[in-house]
Amino acid sequence: MAIAIVDDTPLNLTLIQALVRKLAPAGTEIVCFTSPLEGLRWCESHEADLIIVDYMMPDLNGIEFIKAVRQLHPADVVPILMVTAAHEKEVRYQSLTAGANDFLTKPIDRHEFDPRVRTMLALRSSHTRLRTWNDDLQAEVRRQTADIIARERETIARLARAAEFRDPETGAHILRMAHYSELIAQRLGLKPELCERLLSAAPMHDVGKVGTPDHILLKPGRLTDEEMDIMRRHATIGYDILKGSSSPMIQLAAEIALTHHEKFNGSGYPAGLAGEAIPLAGRIVAVADVFDALTSARPYKPAWDMERAIDFLKAERGQHFDPACVDALLDRWADVLAVRERFQDEEE
């Protein structure tokens, strides 16, 4: 514990210090100040377990001192005992209003002083234990929450891996488009936790392809109109797989699975949504997914060079893509290249 005593009269300071020393637990630090300004400076860098302060002092009276301390520490954290003359009732009222927890009158009566100080120290000790318990509880909640998030991410990664076994697109594509999505979200100013959630959820965008027949999913040539209709069902299949979860991350993955093939001009699928009616996560992933698909080699097509892909994104601003999402990706171009370098296809 640490107890601060502030009184401009050395004799009073010595008396109060002697009384406190008999009551304080062993090892308690007792600091004394004849200058209220020096005492306040000490309080700026320390949290006392009890402050005893006189009212009538030069430079800063007791009430002003208490108000200054309360700017540093909330009223329920640091107990303050004000010492006033017996006739200064108005001062006592003001001291309580300013944030004092209790007061004593001069001359100090030991029989009054001892129980008041004991009570305040006991309350402070209980408060400290409660605060420690709360800190420990919050730490445990954070740990448990982190464990839950980690398990959610593992679930998403495994589902994405299952879809990958049936999809000719590579695992590196999934990693690249997820990181591109995070870059776009960051540039758009989304909160860090949402950017991180998007990074984890984006790999699930095509999980619905597990319900697409092999003869369509793996067909090397152009799909017929009927086959394309079947292929497009993967958006709603993915949503049906993921919907209804209590997990915010899987909820986001469901939204992405359903909407990442919508187009800004309303010509996309499955619902033909347009503009901001398309959830932002779907608009973000649409840019990231198409960009990486264009710049990646597939059995049925060579990779586009970067300039051609950029020209396509620019040409489709406001048509296929949300212009803000296109601009956000291009604004993070150095980071885009770093992601592409980091997550390369095995055949590259």
Side-chain angles (χ1 to χ4, degrees):
M1 279 189 162
I3 298 174
I5 305 170
V6 184
D7 194 313
D8 64 311
T9 304
L11 181 61
N12 290 341
L13 205 60
T14 301
L15 172 62
I16 296 173
Q17 182 181 13
L19 293 174
V20 167
R21 195 172 297 282
K22 294 179 181 180
L23 303 173
T28 297
E29 177 188 11
I30 301 175
V31 291
C32 300
F33 303 95
T34 55
S35 166
L37 294 177
E38 290 182 5
L40 186 60
R41 280 194 291 271
W42 182 88
C43 290
E44 289 175 354
S45 56
H46 300 78
E47 184 177 292
D49 294 285
L50 173 63
I51 296 174
I52 302 174
V53 59
D54 187 31
Y55 168 64
M56 188 62 70
M57 297 182 295
D59 300 322
L60 203 67
N61 67 38
I63 293 176
E64 293 169 337
F65 180 89
I66 291 171
K67 289 180 178 178
V69 169
R70 288 304 179 217
Q71 295 297 315
L72 303 171
H73 307 290
D76 63 342
V77 171
V78 179
I80 300 178
L81 188 60
M82 166 76 89
V83 180
T84 68
H87 64 279
E88 296 173 327
K89 288 186 178 181
E90 183 60 30
V91 170
R92 293 201 296 271
Y93 299 151
Q94 292 177 17
S95 69
L96 292 173
T97 302
N101 299 94
D102 204 347
F103 56 86
L104 288 167
T105 56
K106 294 180 181 178
I108 293 176
D109 182 343
R110 178 176 178 179
H111 297 291
E112 183 182 13
F113 181 89
D114 288 4
R116 288 178 184 270
V117 170
R118 282 198 185 96
T119 298
M120 296 185 81
L121 290 177
L123 289 173
R124 170 62 177 178
S125 180
S126 297
H127 181 275
T128 301
R129 287 196 300 271
L130 180 61
R131 187 166 62 176
T132 300
W133 181 82
N134 283 334
D135 290 343
D136 291 343
L137 181 61
Q138 290 176 14
E140 179 63 18
V141 170
R142 288 193 294 269
R143 187 187 69 79
Q144 294 284 356
T145 300
D147 287 345
I148 291 170
I149 292 173
R151 288 195 292 271
E152 289 176 349
R153 287 176 178 163
E154 180 184 6
T155 298
I156 286 177
R158 290 180 182 275
L159 285 170
R161 180 67 174 163
E164 180 187 331
F165 274 109
R166 299 200 62 250
D167 193 334
E169 295 178 342
T170 67
H173 161 71
I174 291 174
L175 291 172
R176 285 193 301 266
M177 62 78 57
H179 281 81
Y180 294 154
S181 298
E182 182 185 37
L183 292 177
I184 294 170
Q186 290 172 344
R187 187 67 183 86
L188 292 175
L190 274 63
K191 293 181 179 180
E193 58 267 26
L194 184 53
C195 295
E196 187 175 351
R197 190 179 301 161
L198 184 64
L199 172 65
S200 298
M204 294 299 298
H205 66 295
D206 276 341
V207 69
K209 287 183 177 179
V210 298
T212 304
D214 283 349
H215 73 277
I216 295 175
L217 184 65
L218 305 178
K219 184 178 180 178
R222 185 178 180 86
L223 299 179
T224 65
D225 290 344
E226 182 181 353
E227 290 170 337
M228 182 60 72
D229 287 340
I230 296 173
M231 171 65 84
R232 287 174 174 172
R233 294 174 190 169
H234 79 274
T236 53
I237 292 172
Y239 176 73
D240 288 339
I241 290 172
L242 298 170
K243 69 179 181 181
S245 173
S246 61
S247 161
M249 191 180 301
I250 297 179
Q251 290 172 8
L252 182 63
E255 180 180 84
I256 291 169
L258 184 64
T259 63
H260 74 285
H261 283 297
E262 300 287 358
K263 295 184 179 181
F264 202 70
N265 64 5
S267 65
Y269 66 88
L273 301 177
E276 294 185 1
I278 306 168
L280 180 56
R283 286 179 270 150
I284 289 173
V285 171
V287 174
D289 185 34
V290 172
F291 171 74
D292 191 70
L294 293 175
T295 55
S296 301
R298 294 289 180 267
Y300 51 85
K301 76 166 189 70
W304 287 20
D305 61 52
M306 287 295 186
E307 288 187 5
R308 184 183 177 191
I310 291 173
D311 289 342
F312 179 82
L313 292 182
K314 290 179 177 179
E316 291 294 319
R317 287 176 80 259
Q319 299 301 313
H320 188 154
F321 307 118
D322 181 343
C325 294
V326 172
D327 295 343
L329 181 74
L330 299 181
D331 286 345
R332 296 293 300 271
W333 190 246
D335 296 314
V336 168
L337 295 179
V339 168
R340 183 171 173 78
E341 178 65 24
R342 179 182 174 189
F343 302 107
Q344 296 187 21
D345 294 323
E346 291 182 3
E347 62 269 26
E348 291 183 352

